[in-house]
Amino acid sequence: MHGGRDVANDASTVFDLVILGGGSGGYAAALRGAQLGLDVALIEKDKVGGTCLHRGCIPTKALLHAGEIADQARESEQFGVKATFEGIDIAGVHKYKDGVISGLYKGLQGLVASRKVTYIEGEGRLSSPTSVDVNGRRVQGRHVLLATGSVPKSLPGLEIDGNRIISSDHALVLDRVPKSAIILGGGVIGVEFASAWKSFGSDVTVIEGLKHLVPVEDENSSKLLERAFRKRGIKFNLGTFFSKAEYTADGVKVTLADGKEFEAEILLVAVGRGPVSAGLGYEEQGVAMDRGYVLVDEYMRTNVPTISAVGDLVPTLQLAHVGFAEGILVAERLAGLKTVPIDYDGVPRVTYCHPEVASVGITEAKAKEIYGADKVVALKYNLAGNGKSKILNTSGEIKLVQVKDGAVVGVHMVGDRMGEQVGEAQLIYNWEALPAEVAQLIHAHPTQSEALGEAHLALAGKPLHSHD
Ligand SMILES: Cc1cc2nc3c(=O)[nH]c(=O)nc-3n(C[C@H](O)[C@H](O)[C@H](O)COP(=O)(O)OP(=O)(O)OC[C@H]3O[C@@H](n4cnc5c(N)ncnc54)[C@H](O)[C@@H]3O)c2cc1C
């Protein structure tokens, strides 16, 4: 209700902003827009929170945490603790995971209501440059934000049946721990499931067509992760593409382009996610698109002046915090605030497998391309010199990429809990810090953040606990 009017059902209401899709991008725009005094309608066909909260970031991290506890129980003896690992109660794992989701979901629903966003449940379709049709009525706005997100993709001829050939959506609600699993795709989602399932006791093989696991990361991080996975007994096959999958009597057989075959109980297809845009009226209203993605400029404006788009629907990094930032940018722009384009290299990226891979800025290879090979300095700091990492019994490295005599342009970290260090790394990158400036900052001992400090001490020419 707005001033006594039932705005959600009143066709004469013209909102300042009508948002199609209530995932990370859409709801962030709604909350920020409402905070800035915009009259906002948020249309969602399923649950506010979208992929991240219900089928993505949050449930996967809950599974990974359950896996970490299982590993700690198995490995407790090396810390002098007598615990026994009896097995995984998958119903219990789901109960824990669903409890986390439902708590956050309730909180988010409360936020949307308290900020006086008009929430409309239903499947919407863009019906003009300033309206969305939903539940048989037209919702009008001065501006429309498209935020319909993405869904799991497959490969030609590979049908996801939800039973033996599954996507991440199915994997998150699987009622058992698979005895064996093939994971097609060694990107973020693939390696996170590989890590969690291995911790639960599955025999896991990852198939990646490119040369490395997490192939968009700095090559050093990929190699460190591969070494750690090998040690954990997670198998992987790199550099050869998938050819076909067939059912066997009790599972699935995957054949690669070179004829190599793999068999397992289950095949998880984790080859990426595609935009949700088909049949939603975008093209009919003249929105410029490319392979299903909505094209935007650096202010998230489409070619239609009254329409913006954010999140996984646009061809930027598919991350929840990118969706939040893009949604906030749109809300602030429409409210008349000064906005600045997002520097996507400055967005922190974390893969939450065991060990974690975290980075911000550019890779060494990219830095060499941009600045020239002789203008780039790279330094690796081994976590073996870091007290807290030793206590946690994790190994790994922090790699810094610096423009010679200039700022740090890349931070690449591998090791348990290194995802938590990416906050400082992002300040270093985004404030264009010089190694000597970071070296000046005192880091608490013993913490893993100290490793970042020590890496910069070494890069500034005064290494402390650093072995060559
Ligand atoms: C397994 C997995 C793990 C992930 N882990 C992480 C992570 O750790 N960190 C991270 O940053 N990112 C992670 N992501 C990515 C993250 O979830 C997405 O980048 C983010 O959810 C994108 O937000 P979005 O708003 O663009 O789209 P979505 O979250 O997909 O939301 C789109 C919403 O639009 C709704 N919708 C679609 N069509 C219509 C319609 N016609 N009418 C009404 N509503 C509609 C959908 O129901 C959905 O709720 C993960 C993703 C997956 C799949």
Side-chain angles (χ1 to χ4, degrees):
M1 301 291 276
H2 255 249
R5 279 178 309 128
D6 180 5
V7 287
N9 291 303
D10 175 4
S12 67
T13 303
V14 178
F15 292 92
D16 293 318
L17 176 60
V18 173
I19 303 171
L20 185 56
S24 310
Y27 85 68
L31 294 178
R32 183 66 181 130
Q35 197 174 49
L36 291 168
L38 300 182
D39 207 356
V40 181
L42 179 62
I43 301 168
E44 168 58 53
K45 66 174 180 181
D46 187 10
K47 289 181 184 160
V48 67
T51 303
C52 168
L53 178 53
H54 302 285
R55 299 174 297 280
C57 328
I58 300 297
T60 45
K61 267 81 260 183
L63 292 190
L64 282 156
H65 184 61
E68 187 182 337
I69 304 235
D71 287 335
Q72 284 182 351
R74 283 189 195 96
E75 294 158 12
S76 63
E77 222 177 288
Q78 59 180 279
F79 302 98
V81 176
K82 285 184 183 298
T84 42
F85 173 73
E86 288 178 22
I88 299 292
D89 162 21
I90 199 70
V93 171
H94 287 313
K95 190 170 160 218
Y96 147 68
K97 175 200 77 182
D98 294 342
V100 174
I101 296 171
S102 72
L104 291 169
Y105 180 41
K106 278 199 195 88
L108 184 57
Q109 286 174 305
L111 261 183
V112 169
S114 71
R115 297 261 177 100
K116 307 227 175 333
V117 169
T118 300
Y119 185 73
I120 303 171
E121 204 176 302
E123 184 158 2
R125 187 174 194 281
L126 188 68
S127 47
S128 83
T130 53
S131 65
V132 172
D133 284 1
V134 55
N135 303 334
R137 60 167 286 239
R138 185 149 293 187
V139 181
Q140 315 226 46
R142 274 175 268 283
H143 202 90
V144 176
L145 174 63
L146 308 177
T148 43
S150 65
V151 284
K153 273 198 304 207
S154 189
L155 296 174
L158 179 58
E159 198 185 321
I160 294 177
D161 64 14
N163 182 25
R164 282 194 251 171
I165 304 181
I166 63 172
S167 72
S168 60
D169 289 355
H170 307 111
L172 286 169
V173 292
L174 202 64
D175 60 0
R176 63 192 187 284
V177 174
K179 279 197 182 56
S180 58
I182 298 170
I183 298 178
L184 194 56
V188 176
I189 294 176
V191 300
E192 286 190 357
F193 274 105
S195 185
W197 279 347
K198 181 69 193 179
S199 299
F200 289 169
S202 301
D203 180 15
V204 181
T205 306
V206 183
I207 309 280
E208 170 55 55
L210 298 177
K211 261 175 33 197
H212 287 296
L213 295 178
V214 289
V216 298
E217 293 292 341
D218 191 279
E219 197 175 29
N220 189 57
S221 295
S222 297
K223 285 182 175 166
L224 288 170
L225 179 65
E226 286 158 15
R227 193 186 303 164
F229 267 21
R230 229 174 265 124
K231 232 170 125 184
R232 289 186 61 195
I234 298 175
K235 291 171 260 176
F236 49 88
N237 193 88
L238 304 172
T240 311
F241 284 96
F242 164 87
S243 168
K244 61 177 178 181
E246 296 157 290
Y247 293 112
T248 58
D250 49 5
V252 188
K253 181 168 85 178
V254 167
T255 310
L256 302 191
D258 61 3
K260 212 186 236 180
E261 294 176 342
F262 299 86
E263 280 193 41
E265 178 189 324
I266 217 162
L267 169 63
L268 168 62
V269 182
V271 294
R273 294 177 62 82
V276 175
S277 58
L280 295 184
Y282 300 172
E283 268 155 332
E284 287 93 318
Q285 298 310 323
V287 176
M289 322 252 307
D290 180 24
R291 283 165 295 154
Y293 287 99
V294 170
L295 298 177
V296 287
D297 67 9
E298 69 269 42
Y299 292 97
M300 317 317 295
R301 294 178 294 210
T302 71
N303 61 317
V304 179
T306 51
I307 301 178
S308 299
V310 295
D312 285 7
L313 179 63
V314 304
T316 54
L317 286 172
Q318 290 186 329
L319 290 170
H321 43 292
V322 167
F324 296 149
E326 292 176 342
I328 290 168
L329 190 153
V330 170
E332 294 189 346
R333 174 167 55 73
L334 295 178
L337 301 189
K338 186 174 156 29
T339 52
V340 286
I342 294 166
D343 168 8
Y344 289 96
D345 287 334
V347 173
R349 307 163 294 263
V350 182
T351 305
Y352 299 83
C353 47
H354 163 45
E356 290 184 343
V357 180
S359 66
V360 65
I362 56 177
T363 61
E364 182 180 355
K366 180 88 183 285
K368 284 183 169 162
E369 244 175 73
I370 297 174
Y371 302 102
D374 56 334
K375 295 279 186 307
V376 172
V377 179
L379 177 131
K380 291 186 208 167
Y381 179 81
N382 196 317
L383 292 185
N386 176 250
K388 186 62 190 260
S389 297
K390 220 45 189 170
I391 290 164
L392 295 172
N393 193 25
T394 187
S395 55
E397 279 178 13
I398 292 179
K399 174 174 167 178
L400 302 179
V401 181
Q402 181 204 9
V403 176
K404 211 171 193 172
D405 302 323
V408 173
V409 293
V411 182
H412 305 276
M413 306 182 280
V414 177
D416 284 342
R417 303 191 188 177
M418 294 317 278
E420 299 299 331
Q421 307 310 320
V422 89
E424 181 178 0
Q426 94 180 75
L427 292 182
I428 293 169
Y429 171 85
N430 286 292
W431 270 336
E432 298 174 13
L434 300 173
E437 291 168 333
V438 183
Q440 198 66 22
L441 304 171
I442 299 166
H443 288 74
H445 175 78
T447 60
Q448 283 185 299
S449 74
E450 201 181 7
L452 255 180
E454 294 240 3
H456 285 84
L457 278 170
L459 195 56
K462 43 181 184 176
L464 187 60
H465 303 95
S466 167
H467 305 269
D468 295 325

